[in-house]
Amino acid sequence: MESGVFHTDYRTDMGLRRVPAERLRLGLFAAALLVFPFLASPYWLNLANQIAIATIGALGLNILVGYTGQVSLGQGAFMAVGAYTSALLTLRLGLPWGVSIVAACFATAAVGVFFGLPSLRLKGLYLAISTLAAQEIVEWVVTHWPALTGGVEAVVVPAPRLFGQRLNTDFGFYWLGIALAGATALFTANLFRSRIGRSFVAVRDQDIAASVIGVNVFGTKLLAFATSSFFVGLAGALTAYYRNIISWERFTLETSVLYLAMIIVGGLGTIRGSLFGAALITLLPAMIATAGRELQQSAPAVAALLPSVQQAAFGLVIILFLVFEPEGLSKLWRNVKDYFYVWPFAYRRGEGR
Amino acid sequence: MDQFLQLTVAGLGTGMIYALAAVGFVIIYKASDVINFAQGDLLLFGTYLIFFSLVQIGLPWTVGVLLTMLVAAGIGVAVERTVLRPLIGEPIISMIMVTIGLSSVLRAVVHAIWGPQPRTFPSFLPEGEVMLGSAVVSADRLVAIPLALALLAGLALFFRRTRSGIAMRAIADDQQAALSMGISIPRVFATAWALAAVTAAIGGIMLGNIVGVTPNVAQIGLRVFPVVILGGLDSIRGAVVGGAIIGLLEFYAGGYIGHGLNLIIPYVVLIIVLMVRPYGLFGKEIIERV
């Protein structure tokens, strides 16, 4: 007897969620998200908000790196463009926050296309190095153009309001954060079921073959940069409104590396992986910090090493995943799922995700 | 004219340290196609190791330098064995990220052992200032230039004359042909990392002499990219010339124009080179075109 998933009509075969169990899991996850803010302490709510923002940013980066195969070290710069555009539009021109966030997304998309232009001539490590230069240049512009950005000083962002409620509290922002993260995930999932998304993947896998079957490689790359930067800009703008204060230190090369770590650890080219990676990379330092506070009394010498432990743990997580599970957390999740799929049998025929 | 001379000496001195860092990068890239984002942290290790052996153990400087080079070589080999070996053949993003992870770990180790505060060790380059005509230049930078050049010349000789140097070039040229001639690729990769770590450590020692022992030394790792792209990723001569040019440009821009332009000029050069001549001044003219 064969076990596995066998679809009998096209509609179910092409569905976004192909098995009832997936729909059930998603429903449970959504229910948990809805209940969570009423039970959680502000500390956990704050972490959840950070994860929501990071998920949006990681999804954006994954569109470019994971799905289209264009290595980018400029994530921090693109987030800076999103954050500063939305903040300055509200601050200087008095635009409502919703409008300025949308404007920031489009502005970041435009900047993304501009810095994506080298991708038309370069690929692989040359592209990585040119995005590194983009990162440094944007950072320099932000810190050396005080008339526009306030230079090295922090910019205070007016609080966003909805129905008379301030949205930059942990509780208020949570709803905005998960709604936008959910929308981004849904968009990304659907994007890669469409012609455009498929052409991104084709360019990643073999650009020459892609152009042979009629994909416009240059246009596709630029579109990938635009789409990716759009969401990265959204993540940047949300950071600005959530934190109230933005400064250039939040958008350095370290930020780029952080987000790359998220999608590597989570799994390149997967939506689930973007969420997992964002959660792990956000929670890891927080958990280590909590453990350090516990140790403060019993072992102050160990607690003093905390920053080093955080940094070493970050590096080790990246290295260990790359060496032992290059497909990341999403592969681990699939392994667990596959195991229970045909449980109590050991293995099955056919594919099934 | 005086200012020009001062800036030139300072720029060349800094440029030669860039060159030492860049040469290590080039050696690794040539041999194994790995882009090493941890080059700056290898430099950092060199700086702290020499501080450790001179100040904390109290060794004479000759022994200290030898010890530092030895330990650095050990670190290089260990890194290659444990981290890079399993990733042979993985896509470029994995290679980039694994060296970034490595850089994070190395920095954390230095931070855990020696803390964040800046230190100094007794300088063994001549101190003070030297009059060059009517210009005043600092002696340590002036001495650093011929010292680094001598080292780089020695390295070039190693690649031309010694067995392992030629083996390394053979592997860079064609791995399969090298294999069939009986060259052990794992051993050459390990040698490349050891060599890169040693040149980085020497760069770190010089840098420690000039600017002191601080965690900021690692930031030089990012300056390596403009240097190697300008010189050509697989060219040692390119690393030297590129280092000199980038160092000079930085100091001229900082000295004559100001406004923090010295921070950004290397990256502007980098972008221009990538658009016009991606293989750099001396690199091989094979580049993945799109």
Side-chain angles (χ1 to χ4, degrees), chain A:
Chain A
M1 193 181 84
E2 289 185 353
S3 57
V5 180
F6 300 100
H7 295 287
T8 49
D9 61 289
Y10 286 120
R11 220 177 69 81
T12 54
D13 192 39
M14 293 170 69
L16 198 54
R17 303 270 142 198
R18 302 201 295 177
V19 214
E22 284 184 50
R23 283 193 283 273
L24 181 68
R25 268 203 309 272
L26 194 69
L28 285 177
F29 182 60
L33 282 182
L34 289 180
V35 180
F36 176 78
F38 297 101
L39 305 174
S41 66
Y43 173 74
W44 282 100
L45 214 47
N46 179 348
L47 282 177
N49 288 339
Q50 286 183 38
I51 293 174
I53 295 176
T55 304
I56 297 174
L59 279 166
L61 188 63
N62 225 337
I63 292 176
L64 187 63
V65 180
Y67 286 105
T68 321
Q70 309 296 305
V71 184
S72 166
L73 287 164
Q75 173 90 354
F78 295 148
M79 284 184 76
V81 172
Y84 275 95
T85 312
S86 64
L88 294 174
L89 283 179
T90 312
L91 201 63
R92 301 271 159 86
L93 301 181
L95 289 182
W97 61 271
V99 178
S100 70
I101 284 183
V102 174
C105 291
F106 280 105
T108 315
V111 174
V113 169
F114 179 73
F115 282 115
L117 284 176
S119 75
L120 304 185
R121 284 198 67 185
L122 309 166
K123 66 183 184 190
L125 73 118
Y126 287 91
L127 180 63
I129 294 173
S130 88
T131 54
L132 172 75
Q135 167 76 37
E136 297 289 327
I137 289 171
V138 168
E139 222 177 290
W140 186 83
V141 169
V142 168
T143 48
H144 286 80
W145 195 358
L148 182 72
T149 63
V152 289
E153 305 285 324
V155 176
V156 180
V157 187
R161 287 173 179 281
L162 190 66
F163 310 126
Q165 298 287 320
R166 280 177 60 210
L167 270 181
N168 59 350
T169 59
D170 286 331
F171 186 79
F173 188 85
Y174 178 82
W175 303 107
L176 184 66
I178 60 163
L180 287 175
T184 308
L186 186 65
F187 176 89
T188 314
N190 277 323
L191 176 67
F192 291 101
R193 301 199 302 153
S194 74
R195 190 186 63 82
I196 295 174
R198 294 281 158 96
S199 66
F200 286 11
V201 176
V203 167
R204 173 192 70 189
D205 290 342
Q206 225 327 325
D207 48 359
I208 296 170
S211 79
V212 168
I213 57 171
V215 173
N216 175 357
V217 175
F218 290 175
T220 305
K221 280 184 182 174
L222 288 186
L223 194 60
F225 264 96
T227 321
S228 158
S229 310
F230 185 90
F231 292 113
V232 175
L234 178 60
L238 287 177
T239 312
Y241 283 108
Y242 182 50
R243 299 286 181 182
N244 283 73
I245 287 180
I246 50 169
S247 72
W248 66 277
E249 286 145 334
R250 218 174 256 295
F251 309 109
T252 56
L253 184 64
E254 276 174 40
T255 316
S256 307
V257 169
L258 213 61
Y259 275 88
L260 277 174
M262 286 177 197
I263 62 172
I264 291 273
V265 168
L268 286 173
T270 62
I271 289 158
R272 193 187 294 129
S274 310
L275 171 64
F276 288 167
L280 181 71
I281 297 293
T282 311
L283 290 176
L284 187 70
M287 296 300 108
I288 293 177
T290 312
R293 269 196 297 281
E294 300 290 323
L295 285 173
Q296 198 83 58
Q297 277 87 38
S298 52
V302 180
L305 286 178
L306 209 64
S308 317
V309 175
Q310 282 175 330
Q311 200 170 21
F314 175 69
L316 275 180
V317 163
I318 299 175
I319 295 175
L320 292 178
F321 264 100
L322 281 171
V323 172
F324 293 109
E325 187 51 277
E327 288 179 58
L329 283 169
S330 78
K331 178 71 194 303
L332 290 180
W333 165 253
R334 215 155 66 220
N335 290 348
V336 172
K337 228 168 48 176
D338 284 353
Y339 177 78
F340 284 107
Y341 210 62
V342 290
W343 189 86
F345 304 109
Y347 64 92
R348 70 195 150 87
R349 280 185 61 186
E351 66 98 38
R353 291 192 180 196

Side-chain angles (χ1 to χ4, degrees), chain B residues 135-154:
Chain B
V136 187
V137 296
S138 59
D140 47 7
R141 279 182 204 266
L142 196 59
V143 176
I145 300 170
L147 215 57
L149 276 177
L151 272 167
L152 294 167

Side-chain angles (χ1 to χ4, degrees), chain B residues 144-173:
Chain B
I145 300 170
L147 215 57
L149 276 177
L151 272 167
L152 294 167
L155 214 56
L157 220 60
F158 165 82
F159 275 108
R160 247 165 239 285
R161 300 267 178 232
T162 67
R163 228 181 140 73
S164 35
I166 292 170
M168 213 173 272
R169 274 167 54 213
I171 289 215
D173 196 45

Side-chain angles (χ1 to χ4, degrees), chain B residues 233-246:
Chain B
L233 264 174
D234 51 3
S235 162
I236 293 191
R237 191 172 12 145
V240 181
V241 176
I245 295 178
I246 296 287

